[in-house]
Amino acid sequence: MRRCAQRPPKRALLTDSNVHIIRLYQDIQRGSLTPGLAKAFLAEEGEKLRAGGEAHYYAVRDRFNSYPTSLDFLFLNRSCFNGVMRFNRHGKFNVPYGHKPERFAQAYVTKITNQIRRIAEVISACEWMFAATDFRRTLATAQLGDLVYADPPYGGRHVDYLNS
Ligand SMILES: C[S@@+](CC[C@H](N)C(=O)[O-])C[C@H]1O[C@@H](n2cnc3c(N)ncnc32)[C@H](O)[C@@H]1O
């Protein structure tokens, strides 16, 4: 039996109101987002970004807003302005282009790939459930003896998730 690395909880419920973050972890958990897939995708999209510039960025952003996927989510996080994550009131990602195609250099892609591999290793050794829920609903499921770790939004940063 594999042991949990650095002793994370064996059983845990991990939640966030951001469905895209939760989908990313769920995709890693079910094996539909692998290090190999992410590496190939980011290398290819990075090439297209270098060639197409902001037109390519906005094409991917439109694609993501019509049909969100974890791969496009990763791409947008790398290519948008300052890695900001912001959505309009209809839930559409609306961060402008960051004008830094060098963020898809091989070393960065390898770093992201390694992070996905590490996450997959940790998750596969544990019984974790990921869910997109408001923290109030999550807290309502807590029982006596449960450990609750809350990581709330930071105030005064380039984010507007604090307003919700
Ligand atoms: C400081 S970040 C922590 C993210 C995560 N714990 C991590 O380490 O990557 C704060 C998170 O709170 C989430 N959040 C904001 N309002 C929330 C709410 N009402 N219920 C649940 N999560 C919320 C945001 O989507 C954001 O991911």
Side-chain angles (χ1 to χ4, degrees):
M1 191 172 84
R2 275 172 296 179
R3 288 178 44 220
C4 287
Q6 295 171 352
R7 294 172 160 263
K10 179 79 186 153
R11 292 180 64 234
L13 170 64
L14 297 103
T15 72
D16 195 291
S17 56
N18 185 317
V19 294
H20 307 293
I21 292 177
I22 293 302
R23 182 187 308 109
L24 182 86
Y25 286 105
Q26 288 173 332
D27 283 349
I28 295 174
Q29 186 174 42
R30 70 168 71 97
S32 55
L33 176 60
T34 62
L37 263 178
K39 184 176 184 180
F41 180 84
L42 293 175
E44 189 183 326
E45 292 296 321
E47 268 308 310
K48 289 182 186 167
L49 190 67
R50 275 186 282 275
E54 68 181 327
H56 183 65
Y57 172 81
Y58 287 110
V60 176
R61 196 177 80 169
D62 286 347
R63 181 169 78 193
F64 176 78
N65 280 330
S66 312
Y67 184 75
T69 66
S70 294
L71 286 172
D72 280 345
F73 183 59
L74 281 176
F75 170 82
L76 291 172
N77 266 272
R78 290 303 295 168
S79 52
C80 74
F81 178 74
N82 275 357
V84 170
M85 204 186 301
R86 193 184 61 205
F87 301 88
N88 65 21
R89 80 173 88 120
H90 305 294
K92 304 294 183 188
F93 187 77
N94 64 1
V95 183
Y97 179 43
H99 293 278
K100 289 183 180 165
E102 65 275 15
R103 298 191 80 221
F104 289 85
Q106 196 181 343
Y108 289 124
V109 170
T110 301
K111 196 173 169 193
I112 297 167
T113 305
N114 288 342
Q115 286 170 337
I116 293 173
R117 183 173 296 109
R118 176 79 187 121
I119 291 166
E121 280 168 12
V122 172
I123 291 177
S124 68
C126 302
E127 293 165 40
W128 288 359
M129 200 174 117
F130 296 88
T133 49
D134 185 272
F135 75 93
R136 282 157 285 215
R137 281 189 63 189
T138 306
L139 285 181
T141 68
Q143 296 176 356
L144 198 65
D146 283 350
L147 171 76
V148 176
Y149 173 73
D151 189 7
Y154 311 113
R157 301 277 292 268
H158 293 286
V159 291
D160 40 341
Y161 56 25
L162 197 63
N163 63 14
S164 59

